[in-house]
């Protein structure tokens, strides 16, 4: 092994195609004879489909077919399944095209296939559809009300599941002897992921061989193939190839199997022509799985030494109209298990009710459950510090799990393998210039300027996941990863991975690992991903798993290559393998570097097989399936500094410091880029982004006109630091970094805003901190103070 | 639908086409000319993924019908490299990790090129302001700001960029 590349900020090898406009995204592709699909979507949140008359649409020149829910049922196309089961989970059917009832604005009611996209879209407008609108419900807690409209007959009271974790009695006991408790009602509002590339799918059917190819915007093509083949379309799995080419961002939203993929595959078979569909952004808003949407009541208790005694959490999680692929896992095992944070909480209990509503499905969005948990824990820690009148950083420090306590068993199932939380906090305090900043804050307040400083000493569990463990928890999938390292006769190397890159730079970072281990130039290594026709079975990219799980699979496969290469070299050198060393890219007998074999020599001989040991197979290729032993636990401290304009309510981000520990970084350029993007999304949630449904379930924020994605001038240059605590259980020591920024930053920013508002006596305010909301809160607080003064 | 003839100079090449009057410039570039480097990220003219230069000015090509561009010179991301060398901004984005998924990148680079043409030495604030019509969901803009500064500084030094061929390897 060399360290020529690992840990270096190597420029990305994928960039040349993107900066010259020669990337290949699904929407860029065309096939001869290709037709286009367009969807008719429900304009109502709940409606009975009385009739669909396609006569006028079909009469249009260029219109090839109209598909309805009944057509798909007649063709024996099944319901889209969820991939995670909880005890007593209600799993009402989710058909690609709603046959009888549309359950959210955007639910597909019919599809038109035509010669070109414009014709298809025009024909959608010519479908004569009679819909009978029904009462709808959009808010989770509203759906639990006794008289609430019922979303599915299979889920009485709209309850999908009730779930709990932790020891309720222990929490009760600790609260009984508490010195102080605080309680907050917290709304973690709903977000739209908004990858800048809208979803797209193109299907091709080969009649002679009865084979399908689907190009689609997927983070995990094998999961798509499995669900589409085995559960929905009934295609034999080996007859469906799923290719996910360049993908323009995912953030979770491209994990899931969606209706449109079913529709284009079915249409391609029916018409025996390639069929493509691409989402308009307005469709993305009503059809991409959304994120968050929790209503929570949380209570925290401390003793007289300010040590936390317990945390009690009750959450209503809005799941939307249908359970998407990982929906049940997100507000349960990815949320409840994280409620211990970085602290010694002797007792934690959480109860979660998963609720159906007439809204778009809610599933994993960057962080998936962990930002929600971090928001609860970190918001409560700051609230308590304020209540106790002590510094929020010091309150955190006082309650941190100590470095000698690992492995640490939390009261909510997880065993943290490693951690060292204080150095990250200290570095963050130093970077932000904490003492000085607090002085500035004081002075500013005296002059009527309101600066706030917010902390988030987060932890997350990622690197999904030990398969046996998640299997016990309800996962209907394995969560290992695979790699094939294929050495060619010329010594060039192709690595096939089940991980998928949609911005993460795998083609670079993974090549760095392999090139170092094989001691060859990075240019000699290609990383291949995103094609079930080429790669070994793999579970894709989500849950910050690519480096820790996918990278480890590669590292192990490469070790097999090296082992065999060494034996071939030993044979050629007429030496024992244990006497052969691998240095500077050469194999030689220890102490005799003059007589050596290069990697090329060995690769060539492995393929010629003219002179290899008698008991050895020819070739030089190795595969490894890596199942992690545990999650990995990245952590760190983020500090946000904001200023609130009390006259306008406008919140301005002044400064942002992030100190993260993701173990050793394969490529700091890429790792820090992940942190930047993560912070932007977390700050976006706290300050700007909000998904608003009205009482009829209409999406009020259905475009970029109403939904505020952070723009360049909303943000600042971030100050990024690191500490390095390797994971003890994977061969690279790496932990995930893809989601950490988002997990930490929402809470840090929220705490900063509340800190800024403290002089007004505001103890809490729900996100997002739009000028109107902040201004109203200040007005209300001022009126109250005035009132008190008058009384 | 009736079609209308238009003449355009795209990336230095004269093209003549018959287009539907309702076709947007971005779809003409992508679907008719096959220049798929220009992307579509929204349907409300907010995201900037479709930004190209029309007669030297950055324009969101989803806000223009192809017929409105009749007679114009259009430059897309594919035409930005000059005489076989990457544009300073292409180089800057590569060097500073100014892109992740790459979907916003062509539009971002075209907008930034317009900025540098008017303001060769922009401050961070000027860069952020000039790019507020281009969404990036991946980078948090941090490295995009650095990429634009990198290009501005390289231009000021008169540095020459890497050849495109090397980049294509
Ligand atoms: S596609 Fe033109 S601005 Fe979004
Ligand atoms: S790099 Fe992905 S949207 Fe900008």
């Amino acid at each position: 092994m060399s360290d020529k590349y690992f840990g270096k900020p190597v420029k990305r090898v994928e960039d040349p195609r993107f900066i010259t406009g020669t990337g290949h995204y699904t929407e860029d592709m065309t096939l001869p004879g290709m037709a286009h699909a367009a969807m008719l979507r429900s304009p109502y949140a709940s409606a009975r489909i009385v009739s669909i008359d396609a006569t006028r649409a079909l009469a249009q020149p260029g219109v090839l077919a109209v598909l309805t829910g009944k057509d798909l049922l007649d063709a024996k196309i099944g319901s889209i399944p969820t991939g995670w089961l909880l005890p007593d989970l209600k799993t009402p059917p989710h058909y690609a095209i709603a046959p009888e009832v549309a359950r959210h604005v955007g639910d597909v009611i019919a599809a038109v296939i035509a010669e070109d996209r414009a014709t298809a879209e025009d024909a959608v407008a010519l479908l004569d559809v009679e819909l009978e609108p029904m009462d709808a419900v959009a808010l989770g807690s509203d759906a639990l009300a006794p008289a609430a409209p019922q979303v599915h007959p299979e889920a009485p009271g709209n309850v999908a599941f009730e779930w709990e974790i932790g020891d309720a009695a222990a929490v009760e006991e600790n609260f009984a002897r508490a010195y102080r408790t605080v309680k907050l009602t917290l709304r973690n509002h709903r977000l739209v992921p908004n990858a800048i590339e809208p979803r797209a799918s193109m299907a091709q059917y080969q009649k002679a061989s009865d084979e399908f190819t689907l190009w689609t915007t997927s983070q995990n093509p094998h999961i798509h193939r499995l669900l589409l083949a085995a559960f929905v379309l009934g295609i034999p799995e080996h007859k469906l190839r799923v290719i996910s080419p360049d993908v323009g961002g995912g953030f979770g939203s491209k994990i899931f199997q969606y209706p449109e993929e079913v529709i284009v595959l079915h249409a391609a078979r029916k018409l025996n022509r390639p069929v493509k569909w691409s989402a308009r952004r307005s469709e993305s808003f009503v059809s991409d799985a959304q994120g968050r949407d929790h209503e929570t009541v949380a209570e925290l208790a401390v003793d007289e030494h300010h040590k936390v005694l317990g945390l009690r959490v009750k959450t209503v999680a809005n799941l939307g109209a249908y359970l998407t692929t990982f929906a049940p896992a997100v507000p349960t095992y990815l949320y409840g298990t994280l409620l211990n944070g970085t602290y010694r909480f002797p007792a934690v209990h959480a109860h979660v009710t998963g609720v159906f509503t007439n809204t778009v499905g809610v599933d994993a969005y960057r962080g998936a459950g962990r930002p929600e948990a971090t928001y609860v824990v970190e918001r409560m820690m700051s609230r308590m510090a304020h209540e106790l009148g002590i510094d929020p950083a010091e309150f955190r420090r006082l309650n941190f799990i100590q470095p000698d306590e690992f492995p640490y068993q939390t009261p909510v199932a997880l065993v943290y393998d490693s951690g060292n939380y204080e150095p990250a906090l200290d570095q963050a305090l130093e970077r932000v210039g904490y003492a000085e900043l607090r002085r500035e804050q004081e002075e500013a307040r005296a002059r009527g300027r309101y600066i706030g400083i917010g902390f988030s000493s987060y932890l997350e569990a990622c690197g999904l996941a030990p398969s046996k463990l998640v299997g016990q928890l309800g996962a209907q999938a394995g969560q290992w990863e695979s790699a094939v390292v294929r050495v060619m006769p010329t010594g060039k190397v192709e690595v096939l991975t089940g991980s998928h890159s949609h911005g993460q730079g795998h083609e670079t970072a993974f090549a760095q690992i392999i090139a170092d281990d094989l001691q060859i130039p990075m240019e000699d290594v290609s990383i291949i991903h995103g094609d079930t026709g080429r790669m070994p079975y793999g579970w894709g990219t989500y849950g910050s798993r690519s480096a820790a799980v996918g990278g480890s699979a590669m590292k192990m496969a490469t070790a097999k290559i090296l082992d065999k290469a060494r034996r071939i070299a030993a044979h050629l050198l007429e030496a024992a393998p244990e006497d052969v060393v691998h240095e500077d890219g050469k194999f030689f007998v220890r102490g005799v570097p003059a007589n050596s074999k290069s990697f090329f020599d060995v690769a060539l001989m492995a393929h010629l097989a003219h002179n290899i040991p008698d008991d050895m197979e020819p070739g030089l290729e190795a595969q490894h399936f890596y199942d992690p032993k545990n999650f990995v636990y990245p952590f760190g401290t983020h500090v946000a500094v904001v200023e609130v304009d009390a006259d306008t309510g406008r919140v301005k981000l002044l400064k942002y410091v992030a100190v993260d520990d993701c173990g050793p970084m394969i490529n700091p350029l890429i790792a820090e880029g992940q942190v930047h993007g993560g912070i932007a999304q977390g700050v976006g949630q706290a300050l700007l982004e909000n998904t608003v449904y009205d009482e009829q379930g209409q999406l009020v924020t259905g475009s970029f006109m109403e939904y505020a994605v952070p723009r360049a001038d909303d943000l600042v240059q971030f100050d990024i630091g690191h500490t390095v605590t390797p994971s003890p259980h994977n061969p690279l020591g790496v932990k995930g970094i893809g989601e950490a920024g988002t997990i930490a930053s929402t809470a840090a920013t929220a705490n900063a805003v509340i800190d800024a508002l403290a002089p007004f006596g505001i103890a809490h305010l729900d996100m997002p901190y739009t000028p109107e909301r902040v201004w109203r809160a200040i007005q209300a607080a001022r009126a109250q103070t005035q009132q008190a003064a008058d009384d | 639908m009736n079609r209308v003839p238009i003449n355009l100079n795209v990336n230095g090449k004269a093209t003549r086409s018959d287009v539907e009057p309702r076709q947007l410039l971005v779809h003409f570039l992508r679907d008719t000319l096959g220049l798929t480097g220009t992307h579509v990220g929204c349907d409300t003219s907010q995201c900037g993924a479709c930004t190209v230069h029309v007669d030297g000015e950055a324009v969101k090509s989803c806000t223009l019908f192809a017929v409105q561009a009749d007679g114009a010179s259009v430059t897309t991301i594919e035409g930005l490299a000059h005489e076989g060398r990457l544009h300073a901004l292409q180089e800057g984005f590569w060097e500073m990790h100014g892109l992740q998924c790459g979907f916003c990148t062509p539009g971002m680079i075209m907008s930034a090129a317009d900025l540098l043409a008017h303001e060769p030495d922009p401050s961070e604030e000027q860069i952020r302001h000039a790019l507020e019509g281009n969404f990036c969901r991946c980078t948090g803009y941090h490295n995009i700001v650095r990429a634009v500064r990198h290009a501005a500084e390289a231009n000021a030094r008169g540095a020459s960029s890497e050849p495109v061929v090397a980049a294509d390897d």
Side-chain angles (χ1 to χ4, degrees):
Chain A
M1 200 182 120
S2 76
D3 57 1
K4 187 162 165 215
Y5 300 112
F6 194 103
K8 306 287 189 315
V10 177
K11 278 201 310 185
R12 299 204 317 174
V13 301
E14 42 275 89
D15 286 0
R17 67 179 187 269
F18 296 130
I19 55 179
T20 55
T22 50
H24 265 291
Y25 301 89
T26 303
E27 162 61 6
D28 299 339
M29 301 189 179
T30 50
L31 288 169
M34 187 172 79
H36 294 257
M39 307 298 155
L40 172 67
R41 296 177 184 277
S42 175
Y44 301 112
S46 177
R48 187 164 305 288
I49 303 164
V50 180
S51 65
I52 300 175
D53 182 351
T55 318
R56 286 198 303 146
L58 285 168
Q60 288 301 303
V63 173
L64 302 167
V66 173
L67 299 171
T68 64
K70 183 173 176 312
D71 294 329
L72 297 199
L73 287 181
D74 289 348
K76 304 253 179 309
I77 291 174
S79 156
I80 300 169
T82 185
W84 197 293
L85 298 178
L86 300 170
D88 299 323
L89 178 73
K90 302 291 182 295
T91 55
H94 177 198
Y95 294 109
I97 304 182
E100 286 167 3
V101 174
R103 290 189 165 82
H104 65 85
V105 171
D107 213 355
V108 180
I109 292 176
V112 175
I113 322 295
E115 292 291 348
D116 59 77
R117 188 174 182 181
T119 306
E121 288 177 347
D122 286 347
V124 164
L126 294 175
L127 289 169
D128 293 303
V129 179
E130 193 186 331
L131 298 174
E132 183 189 309
M134 301 190 289
D135 286 342
V137 61
L139 185 66
S141 53
D142 286 350
L144 293 173
Q150 298 294 293
V151 181
H152 295 280
E154 296 86 349
N158 295 318
V159 174
F161 64 81
E162 302 271 3
W163 180 89
E164 61 180 320
I165 193 164
D167 185 342
V171 169
E172 194 75 28
E173 225 169 83
N174 286 3
F175 268 72
R177 61 185 174 91
Y179 164 72
R180 200 69 69 82
T181 64
V182 287
K183 181 173 180 173
L184 282 179
T185 302
L186 301 168
R187 176 92 173 94
N188 196 314
H189 58 288
R190 185 186 282 238
L191 301 175
V192 178
N194 274 318
I196 302 300
E197 178 205 24
R199 285 189 296 118
S201 301
M202 177 172 76
Q204 185 180 37
Y205 177 62
Q206 245 114 25
K207 201 171 168 63
S209 53
D210 197 26
E211 285 177 333
F212 295 81
T213 307
L214 176 71
W215 290 261
T216 193
T217 46
S218 169
Q219 300 178 212
N220 29 242
H222 276 104
I223 292 186
H224 272 85
R225 183 176 72 173
L226 178 62
L227 294 175
L228 285 163
F231 295 91
V232 184
L233 286 152
I235 301 169
E237 199 176 351
H238 64 298
K239 298 278 191 185
L240 173 60
R241 175 177 178 188
V242 178
I243 299 173
S244 179
D246 287 331
V247 172
F251 317 113
S253 69
K254 291 169 181 167
I255 297 172
F256 321 117
Q257 203 250 285
Y258 285 101
E260 296 83 0
E261 291 148 355
V262 179
I263 293 166
V264 293
L265 280 165
H266 174 67
R269 173 167 55 188
K270 189 177 151 86
L271 299 171
N272 197 19
R273 285 178 63 169
V275 178
K276 180 159 90 175
W277 166 81
S278 335
R280 301 268 180 213
R281 177 63 57 184
S282 46
E283 291 184 275
S284 312
F285 271 99
V286 296
S287 69
D288 291 0
Q290 301 178 348
R292 320 284 187 253
D293 206 343
H294 285 194
E295 295 165 81
T296 293
V297 176
E299 295 164 88
L300 189 74
V302 290
D303 67 14
E304 60 279 21
H305 308 296
H306 301 164
K307 298 264 193 182
V308 173
L309 287 171
L311 174 69
R312 179 158 46 203
V313 174
K314 208 165 165 18
T315 293
V316 174
N318 188 339
L319 304 170
Y322 303 106
L323 296 177
T324 52
T325 310
F326 285 141
V330 175
T332 55
Y333 287 106
L334 293 175
Y335 169 67
T337 55
L338 272 296
L339 287 169
N340 188 83
T342 44
Y343 310 107
R344 262 204 228 118
F345 284 179
V348 178
H349 180 258
H351 181 278
V352 181
T353 309
V355 181
F356 288 112
T357 61
N358 294 107
T359 60
V360 175
V362 175
D363 206 316
Y365 165 59
R366 202 168 193 169
R370 291 155 287 160
E372 294 90 314
T374 302
Y375 181 63
V376 171
V377 171
E378 292 301 310
R379 190 64 209 97
M380 294 306 285
M381 289 300 282
S382 286
R383 177 75 195 86
M384 179 60 91
H386 183 76
E387 180 70 23
L388 296 171
I390 61 176
D391 185 275
E394 294 316 306
F395 179 55
R396 284 172 167 81
R397 186 194 304 281
L398 182 69
N399 281 284
F400 277 152
I401 298 165
Q402 296 304 304
D404 59 1
E405 292 178 283
F406 294 95
Y408 186 86
Q409 172 70 60
T410 75
V412 276
L414 295 179
V415 179
Y416 299 166
D417 55 19
S418 60
N420 191 5
Y421 305 140
E422 274 195 70
L425 173 65
D426 287 334
Q427 192 187 136
L429 292 176
E430 196 185 312
R431 281 179 179 271
V432 82
Y434 190 49
E436 177 58 29
L437 192 59
R438 282 288 181 204
R439 267 194 297 280
E440 274 172 37
Q441 182 185 35
E442 270 314 302
E443 285 167 24
R445 275 180 189 169
R447 284 180 282 116
R449 284 183 53 209
Y450 301 93
I451 291 174
I453 307 163
F455 288 89
S456 176
S457 291
Y458 77 102
L459 160 139
E460 67 133 331
C462 62
L464 269 46
S467 300
K468 281 200 188 78
L469 176 66
V470 294
Q472 287 160 14
L473 306 182
Q476 303 297 297
Q479 300 227 310
W480 43 264
E481 199 45 85
S482 65
V484 168
V485 177
R486 178 175 294 157
V487 183
M488 301 172 192
T490 52
K492 308 291 179 197
V493 179
E494 181 174 78
V495 181
L496 303 119
T497 168
S499 296
H500 185 272
S501 182
H502 29 281
Q504 296 89 338
H506 291 175
E507 292 165 39
T508 307
F510 286 159
Q512 289 177 249
I513 299 173
I514 307 287
D516 268 352
D517 281 7
L518 296 179
Q519 299 177 19
I520 58 176
M522 242 182 94
E523 298 75 54
D524 288 0
V525 182
S526 289
I527 305 295
I528 316 286
H529 63 98
D531 181 352
T532 63
R534 295 185 69 185
M535 294 131 44
Y537 208 96
W539 297 99
T541 287
Y542 45 84
S544 302
R545 67 193 302 273
S546 297
V549 189
S552 293
M554 270 172 220
K555 176 104 183 154
M556 306 292 272
T558 308
K560 293 177 187 174
I561 294 284
L562 276 177
D563 180 60
K564 183 166 179 179
R566 187 190 308 272
R567 284 187 290 126
I568 294 172
H571 182 78
L572 295 174
L573 294 165
E574 297 177 0
E578 47 283 12
D579 295 335
V580 172
V581 292
H582 181 214
E583 276 170 25
D584 299 332
K586 294 190 170 60
F587 296 90
F588 53 87
V589 175
R590 188 170 292 109
V592 200
N595 185 15
S596 69
K597 295 290 166 194
S598 67
F599 187 69
F600 164 72
D601 296 334
V602 171
L604 184 62
M605 187 50 73
H607 287 84
L608 296 177
H610 296 167
N611 186 14
I612 59 173
D614 288 341
D615 57 354
M616 183 182 273
E617 284 178 41
L620 195 53
E621 174 166 327
Q623 176 156 14
H624 193 87
F625 293 91
Y626 178 80
D627 203 349
K629 294 185 192 64
N630 192 349
F631 297 93
V632 288
Y633 298 95
F635 60 85
T637 290
H638 286 208
V639 189
V641 185
V642 302
E643 178 166 356
V644 174
D645 182 332
D647 295 329
T648 63
R650 188 162 179 261
V651 179
K652 199 168 152 34
L653 182 67
L654 300 179
K655 210 177 207 180
Y656 199 96
V657 171
V659 179
D660 298 288
D661 191 318
C662 61
M665 286 182 281
I666 302 167
N667 182 330
L669 206 58
I670 292 176
E672 290 186 0
Q674 289 292 311
V675 175
H676 299 153
I679 294 170
Q681 286 177 350
V683 171
Q685 170 168 25
L687 300 185
L688 298 160
E689 298 178 39
N690 195 9
T691 312
V692 181
Y693 285 94
D694 71 11
E695 273 166 22
Q696 283 80 46
Q698 281 295 335
L699 181 63
V700 179
T701 51
S703 82
F704 286 142
M705 311 272 281
E706 303 88 15
Y707 188 96
V709 164
R711 299 168 186 244
D713 57 356
D714 294 317
L715 299 169
V716 295
Q717 294 301 96
F718 308 123
D719 180 357
I720 307 288
H722 304 277
T723 61
V724 180
T725 311
S727 164
H729 64 73
N730 73 54
L732 294 162
V734 298
K735 306 186 279 193
I737 193 65
E739 297 166 290
T742 309
I743 291 169
S745 58
T746 302
T749 310
N751 282 334
V753 173
I754 305 302
D755 186 48
L757 294 174
F760 299 98
I762 295 170
H764 180 72
L765 189 64
D766 279 333
M767 307 177 289
Y769 303 113
T770 57
E772 183 192 345
R773 192 171 284 191
V774 172
W775 184 83
R776 282 184 192 283
I778 292 172
Q779 295 308 308
R782 277 179 171 159
Q784 224 173 13
T785 322
Q786 191 59 45
Q787 180 84 37
D790 292 351
D791 285 349
Chain B
M1 200 167 285
N2 68 323
R3 289 177 169 266
V4 180
I6 56 167
N7 290 291
L8 249 70
N9 185 300
V10 180
N11 297 334
K13 270 213 297 264
T15 63
R16 188 185 185 292
S17 282
D18 292 330
V19 299
E20 274 190 39
R22 67 172 179 176
Q23 187 176 43
L24 297 174
L25 178 60
V26 65
H27 292 131
F28 174 73
L29 294 171
R30 288 179 53 83
D31 302 342
T32 308
L33 300 185
L35 294 169
T36 55
T38 302
H39 297 149
V40 179
C42 73
D43 44 16
T44 50
S45 295
Q46 250 97 33
C47 76
C50 61
T51 308
V52 300
H53 293 176
V54 177
D55 291 332
E57 297 282 328
V59 169
K60 291 179 174 176
S61 63
C62 73
T63 61
L64 215 63
F65 294 113
V67 290
Q68 290 175 288
D70 187 17
S73 278
V74 175
T75 307
T76 69
I77 188 72
E78 290 93 340
L80 197 61
H82 191 58
E83 290 178 350
R85 304 232 152 230
L86 288 176
H87 186 279
L89 277 161
Q90 292 173 311
E91 183 96 352
F93 272 68
W94 193 10
E95 204 62 49
M96 293 289 116
H97 189 32
L99 61 146
Q100 291 180 28
C101 77
F103 198 79
C104 72
T105 311
M108 200 64 85
I109 289 178
M110 297 311 283
S111 287
D114 190 322
L115 167 67
L116 291 187
H118 294 101
E119 175 51 69
D121 185 25
S123 64
E124 180 197 334
E125 200 184 332
Q126 285 174 313
I127 296 169
R128 288 184 177 274
H129 180 69
L131 296 180
E132 57 102 44
N134 290 75
F135 292 0
C136 176
R137 197 58 158 164
C138 298
T139 64
Y141 306 101
H142 181 106
N143 284 343
I144 289 177
V145 171
R146 294 173 66 221
V148 177
R149 281 302 312 161
H150 185 279
E153 282 156 25
N155 283 342
R157 280 198 316 272
S160 84
S161 295
E162 298 217 18
V164 178
V165 271
D168 274 344
D169 278 351

